[in-house]
């Protein structure tokens, strides 16, 4: 016997309600976050905004102990500021000897001697701050650590000559001085494929024989310094006022075992450079 029309209609309504309830439960079971569909949508929107706006990172200059970024140096001069016939002790054919550059550019020049310290984080510092530093290397001090200086060169540092064995050159015969200077020229060419143009005599001592030997080894200028940073971070001035001036060449020797690290001394030096309204230039652009 067929059910009455009213009973068939009621059964249809009950069946439809059951189907709808099952769909709702299925949708809720997919919600792995345990929230209602509206909450899921809001969470997804917040996640999208977070992906577009990641948390701010520390600026490189702050990571290295500075309170402001270093100003970019001016464009290199159209011609070198030092040429043969410029600063020299005597003699018409001798190399120029410089301890500062005559320039109106508000720059100083950072030079590092010997190559004893090989801190990988100093490479990061040079790279992140884009420091145009000049490394004057002594072969007997660098030892097996030329790979460290290859990494420094890859981030913008230049490699220059500081003799094979850090011998005091003044008073030595020509052959001995030439061996020290040309020997390191050959080492640096073998290591980096370059022939340095700049030479710094150990201890800043030299004579006319030094200048002749350096010229014969392909050097174009002998570089001294007006300011030097001690192991405790203090600046010492060879002559003139006791403050940094535009064009000053600053020497940072290898650190003492009990002194500040190369990174710490560089940070102190950069703070002083900024305090006096200067920035760091590339020495090779001027010499």
């Amino acid at each position: 016997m067929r059910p009455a029309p009213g009973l068939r209609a009621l059964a249809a309504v009950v069946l439809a309600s059951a189907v709808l309830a099952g769909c709702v439960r299925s949708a809720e079971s997919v919600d792995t976050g345990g929230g209602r569909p509206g909450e899921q949508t809001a969470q997804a929107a917040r996640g999208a905004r977070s992906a577009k706006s990641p948390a701010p990172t520390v600026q490189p200059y702050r990571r290295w102990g500075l309170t402001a970024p270093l100003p970019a140096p001016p464009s290199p001069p159209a011609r070198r500021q030092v040429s043969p016939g410029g600063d020299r002790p005597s003699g018409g054919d001798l190399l120029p000897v410089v301890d500062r550059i005559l320039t109106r550019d508000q720059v100083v020049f950072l030079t590092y001697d010997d190559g004893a310290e090989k801190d990988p984080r100093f490479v990061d510092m040079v790279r992140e701050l884009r420091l145009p530093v000049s490394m004057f290397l002594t072969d007997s001090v660098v030892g097996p650590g030329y790979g460290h200086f290859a990494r420094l060169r890859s981030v913008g540092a230049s490699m220059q000559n500081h003799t094979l064995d850090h011998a005091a050159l003044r008073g030595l015969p020509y052959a001995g001085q030439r061996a020290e200077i040309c020997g390191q020229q050959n080492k640096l060419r073998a290591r980096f494929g370059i022939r340095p143009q700049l030479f710094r005599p150990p201890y800043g001592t030299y004579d006319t024989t030094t200048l002749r030997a350096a010229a014969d080894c392909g050097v174009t200028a002998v570089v001294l310094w007006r300011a030097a940073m001690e192991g405790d971070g203090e600046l010492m001035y060879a002559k003139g006022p006791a403050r940094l001036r535009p064009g000053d060449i600053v020497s940072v020797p290898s650190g003492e075992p009990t002194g500040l690290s190369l990174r710490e001394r560089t940070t102190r030096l950069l703070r002083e450079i900024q305090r006096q309204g200067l920035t760091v230039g590339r020495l090779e652009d001027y010499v």
Side-chain angles (χ1 to χ4, degrees), residues 24 60 89 133 162 165 173 177 181 185 226 256 281 284:
V24 170
V133 298
H162 197 41
D165 297 310
Q177 296 204 39
I181 301 170
Q185 290 286 87
R226 195 184 81 84
E256 301 296 332
E284 291 75 11

Side-chain angles (χ1 to χ4, degrees), residues 111-116 134-137 162 200 225 251-254:
T111 64
Y112 294 77
D113 291 355
D114 307 334
S134 303
M135 315 301 293
F136 286 83
L137 301 182
H162 197 41
R200 171 167 287 166
W225 60 89
S251 169
V252 186
S254 292

Side-chain angles (χ1 to χ4, degrees), residues 79 93 235 274 278:
R79 61 179 181 174
D93 298 323
L235 277 171
Q274 289 183 311
L278 302 167

Side-chain angles (χ1 to χ4, degrees), residues 66-74 100-101 103-110 129 131-132 226-227 235 237 241-250 266-282 286:
L66 304 180
T67 57
L70 280 169
R100 66 187 303 264
I101 304 298
T103 178
R104 294 182 179 179
D105 293 345
Q106 299 299 299
V107 296
V108 296
F109 308 99
L110 303 192
L129 295 179
L131 290 178
R226 195 184 81 84
L235 277 171
Y237 297 89
R243 58 180 176 81
L244 292 174
R245 296 182 296 173
D248 277 350
I249 298 171
V250 184
T266 300
T267 294
R268 289 197 180 193
L269 182 53
L270 293 176
R271 287 173 180 165
E272 182 63 17
I273 289 169
Q274 289 183 311
R275 190 181 71 81
Q276 299 194 32
L278 302 167
T279 192
V280 181
R282 181 176 172 82
Y286 290 79

Side-chain angles (χ1 to χ4, degrees), residues 3-227:
L7 292 176
R8 288 199 302 270
L10 178 60
V13 170
V14 172
L15 179 61
S17 298
V19 170
L20 289 174
C23 290
V24 170
R25 284 194 297 272
S26 298
E28 289 176 346
S29 67
V30 177
D31 178 13
T32 57
R36 293 190 299 273
E39 292 176 344
Q40 288 180 268
T41 304
Q43 290 171 0
R46 286 194 295 270
R49 286 195 298 270
S50 298
K52 292 180 180 179
S53 304
T57 57
V58 177
Q59 294 294 325
Y61 66 88
R62 293 190 184 278
R63 184 158 48 250
W64 300 109
L66 304 180
T67 57
L70 280 169
S75 299
R79 61 179 181 174
R80 299 288 197 271
Q81 307 292 70
V82 175
S83 60
D87 297 335
R88 60 177 59 178
S90 62
D93 298 323
L94 299 180
L95 291 179
V97 179
V98 296
D99 58 15
R100 66 187 303 264
I101 304 298
L102 297 178
T103 178
R104 294 182 179 179
D105 293 345
Q106 299 299 299
V107 296
V108 296
F109 308 99
L110 303 192
T111 64
Y112 294 77
D113 291 355
D114 307 334
E117 293 185 62
K118 304 173 185 67
D119 182 357
R121 292 201 65 208
F122 184 68
V123 180
D124 296 334
M125 185 182 203
V126 170
R127 174 177 55 82
E128 292 186 12
L129 295 179
R130 300 182 180 182
L131 290 178
V133 298
S134 303
M135 315 301 293
F136 286 83
L137 301 182
T138 298
D139 182 69
S140 62
V141 176
V142 174
Y146 276 100
H148 169 79
F149 294 97
R151 289 187 289 275
L152 266 172
R153 184 167 179 261
S154 73
V155 298
S158 77
M159 302 295 129
Q160 305 296 343
N161 190 330
H162 197 41
T163 72
L164 279 175
D165 297 310
H166 210 271
L169 298 179
R170 185 169 58 195
L172 293 180
Y174 173 84
Q177 296 204 39
R178 181 186 172 95
E180 281 285 339
I181 301 170
C182 286
Q184 182 63 346
Q185 290 286 87
N186 295 335
K187 286 275 187 179
L188 294 173
R189 181 171 59 179
R191 295 287 183 173
F192 305 121
I194 60 172
R195 195 164 185 84
Q197 300 296 301
L198 306 181
F199 168 66
R200 171 167 287 166
Y203 315 106
T205 62
Y206 66 95
D207 54 21
T208 54
T209 302
T210 310
L211 303 183
R212 286 198 299 272
D216 291 344
C217 294
V219 170
T220 59
V222 172
V223 177
L224 303 181
W225 60 89
R226 195 184 81 84

